[in-house]
Amino acid sequence: MSTSTDVDLVDYDDAVARFDPVIGIEVHVELGTRTKMFDGAEQTFGEEPNTHVTPVSLGLPGALPAVNGTAVEYAIRIGLALNCSIAESCRFARKNYFYPDVPKNFQTSQYDEPIAHDGWVDVELADGTTFRVEIERAHMEEDAGKNTHVGGATGRIHGAEYSLVDYNRAGVPLVEIVTRPITGAGARAPEVARAYVQTLRDLFRALGVSEARMERGNVRADVNVSLRPTPESPLGTRTETKNVNSFRSVERSVRYEISRQAAVLDAGAAVVQETRHWHEDTGSTTSGRVKSDAEDYRYFPEPDLVPIVPDRAWVEEIRAALPELPAARRRRLQGEWGYADAEMRDVVNAGAVELIEATVAAGAGPAAARKWWMGELARTAKQQDVELADLPITPAQIGALQQLVDSGRINDKLARQVLEGVLAGEGDPEHVVVARGLEVVSDDGPLLEAIDAALAAQPDIAEKIRSGNLGPVGAIIGAVMKATRGQADAGRVRELVLERVQA
Ligand code: ADP
Ligand code: MG
């Protein structure tokens, strides 16, 4: 790899003690429409290259675009959810540049007339506080195709032998959401950046506008960072780290840039305004290209498309039909479930809200559902280094398991064995209970047999109990539990032992 980390870094805490970080985030989201932004080609993922293209997505001469109405509706939904104003009228523009993944030699985007502008969103941080991020604009555009550079060590064009291009993604509808410079976050700037992107991801899913799968590149973030000596100073020069595609990377890349820029400034040099690449493996960024100014793109209004003039009544219809948004939903569920603030925060941070909701729907009480997902299952997920949702067990199975406990057919201890069986792929809880013979013994017959055997095996203890010393009764109960492999109800065993010695 040519990625070098041989630059000096200032220790993070030192850097944020001496500089005030400012960030700005551009998030691109691919809209989950059936077809592309300006033509009827289907939107697909992972298919044979160049099988979902039309003359429009290939930019053939004479091909004329037509706007996808659903994409406009989705963009308005996003704008409204971000508390933006929706433009009375807005246009598309041509952003001109030559690159093989853009066959038209321009990207159809929006420039000075975005569909949504001037909004905000509240972001919840891990400690439960809220940070407001101001939105400058949300505009519509189209995705580019995908270049694959073959033969080099880095997968980048430098050093490659040849390049391939797939236009299946060319023309997929995007909305780009741009924040105003985010000030006042101080040392928490990396966390705010991460929480903001996560908040948008949750929002896209709740709005039903995108599957918003980070690992597929449905959501991509460009992260701008600058430093200034004090919060009163003018903004410093920013760098823009491109295509940071996981929440963790967003946080790490901001941290890294803060440490790196502090070192540049300490050395008396100036931060260069440029794009940078993020390297997941080294946790560092390297220089990309010097940032083009807007005028380099020779933006001009797209002559092949009429302006978009969203009918006000339609906008209000969309607003009225917005689903419950994630923050409101979390508050409602916390109330319904009776969780303390800290409990709810842990559940949210563990990504367990949906899992618990489905488990409760499957018949478990909220307290029991939380106990399973945040206890036994969280430990298992951690051991196996997987997400909770990726464990081989469903909320329906946890619901069924808890119902077995609630009905007294199994106790907590047996339930953990049943859970183990389900996780090992032995089937549903009911099936595991039967197959492993794990039901609580509720018939007194076998219990009395085990009690008699235990009393006979420990005559001195039996004598003490008979003479009224109930201290060692636990030893007998323990022996019975052992003999029944944990399948006895300890309370019932105690009752029976006392009856037995008094008889
Ligand atoms: P570009 O065309 O360079 O990508 P945009 O306006 O689309 O510019 O986005 C730039 C992003 O960087 C915005 O989120 C903006 O708020 C943010 N930004 C602007 N100036 C600074 C700065 N000095 N430090 C940090 N972020 C900044
Ligand atoms: Mg931009």
Side-chain angles (χ1 to χ4, degrees):
M1 293 288 291
S2 65
T3 66
S4 62
T5 45
D6 53 359
V7 282
D8 289 331
L9 296 180
V10 171
D11 170 70
Y12 181 77
D13 294 327
D14 181 24
V16 292
R18 291 187 294 115
F19 296 98
D20 182 45
V22 175
I23 56 177
I25 304 173
E26 301 158 71
V27 166
H28 290 87
V29 55
E30 284 181 342
L31 301 180
T33 51
R34 193 177 59 78
T35 56
K36 293 184 180 178
M37 186 72 218
F38 300 113
D39 66 88
E42 250 186 281
Q43 194 191 151
T44 54
F45 180 83
E47 295 213 4
E48 190 70 12
N50 300 310
T51 53
H52 294 277
V53 291
T54 65
V56 172
S57 30
L58 289 178
L60 300 185
L64 285 176
V67 171
N68 182 331
T70 307
V72 175
E73 180 180 338
Y74 285 4
I76 293 174
R77 266 193 222 171
I78 292 171
L80 291 173
L82 294 174
N83 304 291
C84 287
S85 305
I86 305 301
E88 304 271 340
S89 166
C90 62
R91 280 186 299 187
F92 284 97
R94 292 188 177 184
K95 181 179 182 180
N96 297 280
Y97 64 97
F98 172 82
Y99 210 62
D101 57 8
V102 180
K104 297 182 295 187
N105 287 348
F106 61 85
Q107 179 191 32
T108 308
S109 182
Q110 293 193 297
Y111 179 48
D112 49 354
E113 300 181 33
I115 185 145
H117 56 91
D118 297 303
W120 51 266
V121 64
D122 280 335
V123 170
E124 281 177 33
L125 303 182
D127 67 359
T129 57
T130 297
F131 192 96
R132 179 159 294 187
V133 173
E134 293 187 1
I135 307 294
E136 180 189 302
R137 54 194 269 138
H139 68 253
M140 298 181 286
E141 58 185 32
E142 59 178 336
D143 212 343
K146 188 174 180 351
N147 288 329
T148 306
H149 304 297
V150 184
T154 61
R156 298 193 187 279
I157 196 164
H158 302 284
E161 281 166 35
Y162 60 95
S163 298
L164 300 169
V165 61
D166 172 13
Y167 292 117
N168 283 351
R169 201 179 63 185
V172 164
L174 294 179
V175 166
E176 176 176 345
I177 299 150
V178 183
T179 67
R180 293 196 183 285
I182 301 170
T183 58
R188 296 198 296 179
E191 190 198 349
V192 168
R194 174 199 175 110
Y196 169 72
V197 177
Q198 202 157 358
T199 300
L200 287 194
R201 195 278 311 261
D202 293 347
L203 198 66
F204 301 145
R205 288 194 177 165
L207 292 171
V209 299
S210 175
E211 283 184 46
R213 290 168 64 165
M214 305 292 288
E215 76 284 3
R216 286 194 171 185
N218 293 155
V219 179
R220 311 191 287 263
D222 299 339
V223 186
N224 297 264
V225 178
S226 67
L227 296 182
R228 53 183 176 174
T230 70
E232 291 72 40
S233 320
L235 296 183
T237 303
R238 68 184 158 113
T239 59
E240 177 183 355
T241 307
K242 304 289 282 184
N243 288 324
V244 191
N245 293 339
S246 74
F247 302 135
R248 201 167 97 89
S249 306
V250 168
E251 181 161 355
R252 288 172 75 205
S253 64
V254 173
R255 255 184 105 88
Y256 180 85
E257 268 304 288
I258 289 173
S259 289
R260 188 190 68 83
Q261 291 184 15
V264 170
L265 296 173
D266 276 354
V271 171
V272 178
Q273 179 162 341
E274 62 184 357
T275 65
R276 296 185 68 86
H277 302 296
W278 167 247
H279 304 283
E280 189 65 49
D281 48 353
T282 53
S284 60
T285 65
T286 52
S287 179
R289 60 183 158 83
V290 170
K291 187 74 195 172
S292 315
D293 286 328
E295 44 269 36
D296 295 338
Y297 291 118
R298 289 162 41 250
Y299 277 101
F300 64 87
E302 165 60 62
D304 288 341
L305 290 166
V306 293
I308 293 181
V309 184
D311 181 63
R312 290 296 102 179
W314 184 48
V315 171
E316 288 318 309
E317 252 173 58
I318 297 173
R319 190 196 305 276
L322 285 182
E324 183 184 26
L325 298 182
R329 178 162 169 274
R330 283 199 294 272
R331 274 195 297 280
R332 173 177 59 79
L333 289 173
Q334 183 182 351
E336 286 174 16
W337 294 343
Y339 292 178
D341 287 351
E343 288 172 345
M344 191 66 190
R345 199 182 313 140
D346 289 345
V347 165
V348 169
N349 291 341
V353 175
E354 278 75 23
L355 295 168
I356 289 178
E357 190 179 29
T359 304
V360 170
R370 190 178 70 81
K371 185 197 71 183
W372 284 119
W373 287 107
M374 300 305 290
E376 206 76 5
L377 291 167
R379 273 194 294 282
T380 308
K382 195 164 176 214
Q383 269 163 20
Q384 299 180 5
D385 199 21
V386 296
E387 298 290 324
L388 272 183
D390 295 333
L391 286 172
I393 195 164
T394 63
Q397 288 173 322
I398 298 294
L401 177 67
Q402 186 56 37
Q403 282 186 322
L404 288 170
V405 176
D406 293 342
S407 69
R409 278 184 61 199
I410 57 175
N411 56 29
D412 281 347
K413 193 160 164 232
L414 293 171
R416 278 196 288 278
Q417 294 181 44
V418 176
L419 185 76
E420 199 185 280
V422 176
L423 285 168
E426 292 169 28
D428 285 334
E430 177 69 43
H431 184 84
V432 175
V433 166
V434 175
R436 289 197 181 191
L438 292 176
E439 224 149 332
V440 167
V441 179
S442 50
D443 183 357
D444 288 350
L447 293 183
L448 286 171
E449 260 176 52
I451 289 168
D452 288 342
L455 290 170
Q458 306 182 71
D460 45 331
I461 290 184
E463 197 41 52
K464 277 188 196 152
I465 299 174
R466 262 187 210 106
S467 64
N469 174 4
L470 295 187
V473 83
I476 301 296
I477 298 172
V480 172
M481 294 306 281
K482 196 167 171 200
T484 56
R485 289 163 37 234
Q487 282 163 266
D489 171 355
R492 180 66 189 145
V493 173
R494 186 184 171 86
E495 278 171 23
L496 289 175
V497 172
L498 297 184
E499 276 174 28
R500 215 55 175 170
V501 294
Q502 280 155 16

